[in-house]
Amino acid sequence: MTGRFAYGLRVYGLDDVTDLMPAEPGDDLPEVTIRQHDGPRPTEVPLDRWRQVRLLADGRHLTVDRRTGTATFHGPPLTPDLLAHPYLAPPAVVVNRWAGRETFHAGAFVRHGRAYAVLGPRTAGKSSLLAALAARDVPVLADDVAVVHDGAVFAGPRCIDLRQPVPGAALAGRTAREGSRTRVPLPPIAVRAPLAGWFFLRWGDGPAATRLAAIDALGRLAAERSWPQLPSDPAVLLGLAALPAWELTRPRDWTALERTWRLIASVTESADLATAGRPA
């Protein structure tokens, strides 16, 4: 079995989840097998550095076992669309962090072969912005979790979940997550892309993009790490903060999406030209 690919992992147990790409044979990827247990978490299982347990927002427990390479959801069975998103993200974060990778609450898109991560709090409009980019044929790498390793960002499940459709965006969608979201499918994509920079979202006037100093980017990246209870390598975070970073301000106005896209295109074009002009 080759399993499925998501978040830089080879995932087993989710063959019926259509929003995941097939894993490529021979890829040297960390592996995890997803299981479900229709009942409470066994309380007699001791916790140590080889096991992590999370209480999820809906009352389910997630147990991740490093020795067995398994992640088990304890509670009522989850449907395939829920397993694709949002439930696959928590075990993926733990396994990636154990593998020495950084994970952020972020999405990512690709311009000229390089990835730009989009970060912000839960209501910052990351998914709607990424959906607007997808409608303009900008490749979207990930919607909810950006896994970073060796200077690259890994692809996530091939979908974006929206609380409400993006006006004017000709995107096919289907109902998902028990009717609470519109799921926009994304095409297959390369499993990773080199990381070029960061966009931190905020609402306000604009659109405007303000370049951030590395020290400011470092603080914001530290705040957006997924599952901060697990330790990070400070040198890795410092290196990531040295990449170009901008605070992207835009109004809560759907009509501003086109101007926001033009601004993003201009900023990333300038960043690409600056990178191309550096000596090898």
Side-chain angles (χ1 to χ4, degrees), residues 198 218 221 233-243:
W198 311 92
L218 177 62
L221 287 175
D233 184 344
V236 171
L237 285 178
L238 285 170
L240 294 175
L243 292 171

Side-chain angles (χ1 to χ4, degrees), residues 11 30 41 78 86 120 124 140 143 169 182 187-188 207 214 238 244 253-254:
V11 183
R41 174 179 69 88
L78 294 161
V140 172
D143 174 30
T182 297
L238 285 170
D253 182 356
W254 292 115

Side-chain angles (χ1 to χ4, degrees), residues 148-170:
V148 180
H149 182 61
D150 282 347
V153 183
F154 288 102
R158 308 316 302 145
C159 60
I160 300 174
D161 284 359
L162 300 172
R163 290 182 175 84
Q164 54 182 315
V166 178

Side-chain angles (χ1 to χ4, degrees), residues 125-147:
K126 294 186 297 296
S127 293
S128 59
L129 176 59
L130 291 168
L133 297 183
R136 289 159 174 79
D137 296 322
V138 178
V140 172
L141 197 62
D143 174 30
D144 58 339
V145 174
V147 178

